Amino acid sequence: TVFPGMPLLTVDEEGHYRLEVNVPETLPGKVNTGRKLPISIDGVEAITSGRIVDVVPKVDPVSRTYLVKIEVVGPGLRSGMFGRAMLPIGEKNGITVPGSAIMERGQLTFVWVADANNITRMRLVKAGQKYGDRVEILAGLTDGDRFVVGGMDKVTEGVRVE
């Protein structure tokens, strides 16, 4: 028995797939056909971006989202795989440091900062979101501060670094 709208057959083309993403209705101007987006497919490390090929204009009244189809090309893809698309919704200036530069001792989070004379000083910081191997610093550092990223076990307050 077949009902109207029920798929009868699915044909896959090797290497060319589409990632279908439900996008909140509050982001209509951020998603345009032809735009490249960073994506990740679980189990496939080689895929890093895709291109929007279709934006379905109908909003689902229950989820308040609309469907965006992203073309994904690459090796190791199969139908039914799970993926994520990162939709840039804005930019902001901020400070990020390598995760290795952040030290935690109890409830304290800090980095070692080198002053103009290359003398280390402990600077308490407030860490924010992680972006890959980097961590956003919300408070405690200013633009242009130099911080220590290696040999953290040998650094103490007032030590000269080279």
Side-chain angles (χ1 to χ4, degrees), residues 3 14 35-36 68 71 102 111 126 134 148 152:
F3 298 102
E14 184 80 23
R35 182 176 186 174
K36 288 193 173 220
V68 174
E71 181 180 61
I102 296 179
V111 297
K126 182 176 181 182
R134 298 188 69 83
V148 179
M152 306 302 275

Side-chain angles (χ1 to χ4, degrees), residues 7-45:
L8 298 176
L9 178 68
T10 302
V11 178
D12 287 343
E13 180 181 350
E14 184 80 23
H16 293 279
Y17 291 93
R18 287 196 175 160
L19 175 63
E20 294 185 354
V21 180
N22 290 317
V23 176
E25 68 179 351
T26 57
L27 302 175
K30 305 290 183 187
V31 181
N32 302 317
T33 304
R35 182 176 186 174
K36 288 193 173 220
L37 296 176
I39 62 168
S40 65
I41 306 291
D42 288 359
V44 180
E45 295 182 19

Side-chain angles (χ1 to χ4, degrees), residues 23 27-37 50-56 66-71 86-88:
V23 176
L27 302 175
K30 305 290 183 187
V31 181
N32 302 317
T33 304
R35 182 176 186 174
K36 288 193 173 220
L37 296 176
R51 185 176 58 85
I52 297 175
V53 292
D54 190 20
V55 177
V56 178
Y66 59 96
L67 185 65
V68 174
K69 297 178 183 180
I70 303 169
E71 181 180 61
M86 281 57 92
L87 297 169

